[in-house]
Amino acid sequence: MLIRRKEAKDYGTKKLIEGRFEQGEKCLIIEDVVTSGTSVMETVDALKSVGVVVTDAVVLLDREQGGADRLSSQGIKLHSVCTLTKVLDILQKADKLSAEMVKKVQTFISENKFEPITVNKRAVSDDTRNSSESNKRNKKCLKYSERQDLCYNVNGKKLFAIMEAKKTNLAFSADLTYSQTLLDMVDCIGPHVCMVKTHVDILDDFTPQFTEQLKKLASKHNFMIFEDRKFADIGHTVKHQYSGGVHRISGWADITNAHIVPGDGVIKGLKEVGIKEGKSCVLIAEMSSEGNLATGDYTKACLKMGEEHRDFVIGYICQSRLSTDPAFIHMTPGVQLKEGIDALGQKYLTPHEVIANKHSDVIIVGRGIYSAEDPLAAAKMYQEAGYKAYESQFD
Ligand code: 5BU
């Protein structure tokens, strides 16, 4: 028998899987209740990471909210001892539950189903992108608070929790070149953002103290730090780029990102460093710049890699929602209050277009804030526009 720990003990072997096993051995998972299937998938991932094969899981009660389909799409067959329908039937026949209550529960279950984990075809088909059918499907989106429970990585949960608590889906892209200017601006607009994104390599006066101060501001204002490093090399190299050099990114950035051009070795390399430090990654599935090549099959392959590494990958940089798995967070750069294009091909969409129409989750705004006459007032405007657009999806 093997046991999966929820967290590695901070003493001893630090293993997530306890027990005796040989690589390549098969293991059956036993669970008490399945709702979305997330917990079973986490166990599958932990077992796979140590070379144990899993194809089946047994559950005492299947709440029939889509968990079986989600697991099946990941190659896991779920066998349930009992389903919620059976339990309701037994209780009603034994006069323990009124017909009215049974109906209420059935309605709740049918309205709160989790969609199977699949690659959304909108990733490769522009024709369907604006179709009313796909818009209708996306209208059924879940609230941040509901999605946070489905995340596979602690940083995904944390980001959703911050967005809900601070009522903001605004990420500030702090592309400033002097540390103190950047820190002062972040201190000023910190209450209005869920995340601050940096390009630490454009700072003219970088010192390790800069990252210490940024971390302090992140605690003070409750935002996450995202270093937009865009790793794009083989696994062995990115491991060093992520943990070492002058910037030591894995030590202070909660989230970083990667291009998938090298294949999933880039994710594996980053994961080796980041996962034990509680860090996470987003994959660049699409870009905002004119003529970029991150489209079609490339985007599709990116989503697949994200799903395969969902213990570390929390979402995608993209121009619209791509994955139907509500655990993944979609972040969109190229946002200003007016649509347009800059002199170097950066294309801009409005917060409303990005969140309400394209169903992304986070707007990433740089010059729209730091080049504004009053950056604080601008940040408030973007916060309000982004959050209103999010809420409009539930009207
Ligand atoms: P802007 O000033 O709002 O245009 O800044 C956008 C930021 O997002 C900037 O840091 C870019 O490097 C970053 N970005 C982007 O604009 N488009 C992309 O596709 C990706 C990142 Br990936």
Side-chain angles (χ1 to χ4, degrees):
M1 187 171 79
L2 307 179
I3 294 173
R4 175 175 78 91
R5 299 198 175 280
K6 291 269 178 207
E7 276 170 33
K9 292 182 286 185
D10 54 7
Y11 56 89
T13 58
K14 298 199 173 186
K15 281 181 187 161
L16 281 174
I17 299 294
E18 299 277 341
R20 284 170 56 170
F21 58 88
E22 301 274 329
Q23 292 238 338
E25 265 182 338
K26 240 180 148 180
C27 180
L28 175 71
I29 294 177
I30 300 178
E31 183 67 284
D32 51 359
V33 180
V34 161
T35 307
S36 68
T38 303
S39 173
V40 171
M41 263 338 284
E42 282 173 358
T43 308
V44 172
D45 289 342
L47 287 164
K48 272 191 187 164
S49 72
V50 293
V52 174
V53 180
V54 188
T55 53
D56 294 71
V58 173
V59 62
L60 198 55
L61 176 66
D62 178 2
R63 289 179 41 153
E64 299 173 302
Q65 280 176 261
D69 285 345
R70 281 164 64 88
L71 290 168
S72 159
S73 70
Q74 300 300 297
I76 306 296
K77 191 164 170 27
L78 187 70
H79 309 265
S80 56
V81 176
C82 204
T83 60
L84 195 63
T85 307
K86 264 192 216 160
V87 173
L88 291 176
D89 191 39
I90 292 165
L91 290 175
Q92 195 181 0
K93 278 187 182 144
D95 276 340
K96 301 281 181 207
L97 221 50
S98 67
E100 193 193 350
M101 182 51 79
V102 168
K103 189 132 192 45
K104 258 191 188 170
V105 176
Q106 283 166 339
T107 308
F108 174 84
I109 296 296
S110 70
E111 283 178 357
N112 288 279
K113 287 223 192 278
F114 297 94
E115 290 191 37
I117 306 164
T118 53
V119 172
N120 189 337
K121 289 194 181 59
R122 294 186 313 125
V124 284
S125 164
D126 276 329
D127 298 344
T128 56
R129 193 163 279 212
N130 296 316
S131 77
S132 58
E133 192 45 48
S134 86
N135 280 343
K136 252 189 256 154
R137 182 156 27 94
N138 280 307
K139 273 264 176 196
K140 283 195 288 171
C141 45
L142 299 170
K143 303 232 158 143
Y144 299 146
S145 53
E146 296 166 302
R147 291 170 66 186
Q148 103 189 39
D149 296 332
L150 305 173
C151 291
Y152 309 101
N153 177 293
V154 70
N155 278 334
K157 285 185 208 294
K158 194 170 163 195
L159 185 53
F160 277 131
I162 292 174
M163 288 159 77
E164 177 85 22
K166 291 176 72 177
K167 295 199 178 307
T168 180
N169 49 29
L170 171 63
F172 175 46
S173 185
D175 301 333
L176 298 154
T177 51
Y178 284 98
S179 305
Q180 201 53 54
T181 321
L182 189 161
L183 292 166
D184 288 346
M185 194 163 290
V186 165
D187 198 11
C188 173
I189 65 164
H192 304 283
V193 301
C194 59
M195 192 163 73
V196 168
K197 184 176 83 60
T198 53
H199 281 297
V200 77
D201 55 351
I202 67 171
L203 281 174
D204 287 331
D205 58 351
F206 174 83
T207 61
Q209 285 74 46
F210 163 77
T211 60
E212 286 310 312
Q213 285 168 297
L214 186 62
K215 277 202 295 190
K216 277 194 192 136
L217 290 177
S219 305
K220 177 177 168 189
H221 297 298
N222 191 25
F223 60 75
M224 301 198 74
I225 304 175
F226 171 13
E227 165 56 23
D228 188 357
R229 172 62 178 76
K230 298 188 179 71
F231 291 100
D233 212 320
I234 61 166
H236 181 261
T237 303
V238 298
K239 263 173 75 172
H240 292 291
Q241 290 174 320
Y242 186 27
S243 62
V246 282
H247 296 127
R248 303 200 173 271
I249 295 164
S250 65
W252 51 273
D254 303 303
I255 303 165
T256 192
N257 56 355
H259 285 294
I260 53 126
V261 172
D264 81 341
V266 63
I267 308 172
K268 286 180 179 156
L270 295 172
K271 186 155 113 176
E272 267 189 32
V273 173
I275 203 149
K276 43 184 191 292
E277 298 187 40
K279 309 296 182 184
S280 53
C281 180
V282 292
L283 301 180
I284 300 161
E286 292 178 324
M287 291 195 72
S288 58
S289 46
E290 200 172 41
N292 79 80
L293 305 177
T295 59
D297 284 347
Y298 181 90
T299 302
K300 202 173 168 189
C302 184
L303 295 199
K304 192 157 179 287
M305 283 187 206
E307 287 171 2
E308 279 161 6
H309 294 277
R310 65 185 147 213
D311 52 342
F312 185 56
V313 173
I314 62 167
Y316 305 99
I317 301 287
C318 52
Q319 291 296 295
S320 66
R321 180 174 296 191
L322 300 172
S323 170
T324 54
D325 183 343
F328 286 106
I329 306 175
H330 296 76
M331 307 180 184
T332 301
V335 178
Q336 287 207 346
L337 293 173
K338 270 199 190 137
E339 292 199 1
I341 183 160
D342 80 0
L344 298 174
Q346 168 74 313
K347 289 191 291 178
Y348 289 109
L349 297 172
T350 64
H352 185 82
E353 178 64 13
V354 168
I355 303 290
N357 294 341
K358 294 186 174 284
H359 304 284
S360 186
D361 300 309
V362 173
I363 50 171
I364 299 177
V365 183
R367 283 165 282 177
I369 293 175
Y370 67 77
S371 296
E373 219 168 278
D374 182 345
L376 175 59
K380 285 181 184 169
M381 269 193 275
Y382 279 100
Q383 175 188 12
E384 199 188 318
Y387 209 76
K388 257 195 183 160
Y390 158 69
E391 288 184 318
S392 75
Q393 297 174 103
F394 305 100
D395 289 346

